[in-house]
Amino acid sequence: MVRGRSLSDERVISFVNQNLIAVDLNCNFGFPADTPALEPFRRFYEAHHTPGQGQGTERFSRGFTKSIVMTPDGYVRLSSTPSAMISDDWRNNPNYNPDGYLEFLQAGQRNWVGMYSRQVTGRLAGDAR
């Protein structure tokens, strides 16, 4: 559903291509090592996944999707969409709403720019001593 809506929107595609590195993670194949920003999602997945069946607990058995913007080193989550169980209220989630998805991506970028600026400013202040 995400690909059929938000990820097929030209504004979203353009923003991702110009500002981010997109990664599609299928949790059935495991989580990448050394990505502390994904740890809460790994724990959630392990608590709700039924191994060997590709299904989750009853509440999540129809599907679940989430989008995350994190720092390049994988340590800090900069922005994320709300939990996106595939249910009747999916239409309110940014994953399925291009305007909301673009806003979520832009928030991640703003958070990165702010965080990076503080790091550079802190280093410069340390050099001035």
Side-chain angles (χ1 to χ4, degrees), residues 15-38:
F15 187 87
V16 170
N17 286 339
Q18 292 176 23
N19 301 290
L20 304 170
I21 298 170
V23 176
D24 184 15
L25 171 64
N26 182 333
C27 300
N28 290 323
F29 299 105
F31 284 74
D34 300 322
T35 52
L38 295 178

Side-chain angles (χ1 to χ4, degrees), residues 104-126:
F104 138 75
L105 293 173
Q106 291 167 338
Q109 183 187 44
R110 282 192 306 271
N111 290 340
W112 168 249
V113 169
M115 185 176 134
Y116 185 76
S117 296
R118 285 190 296 278
Q119 289 174 350
V120 169
T121 302
R123 276 186 252 146
L124 292 175

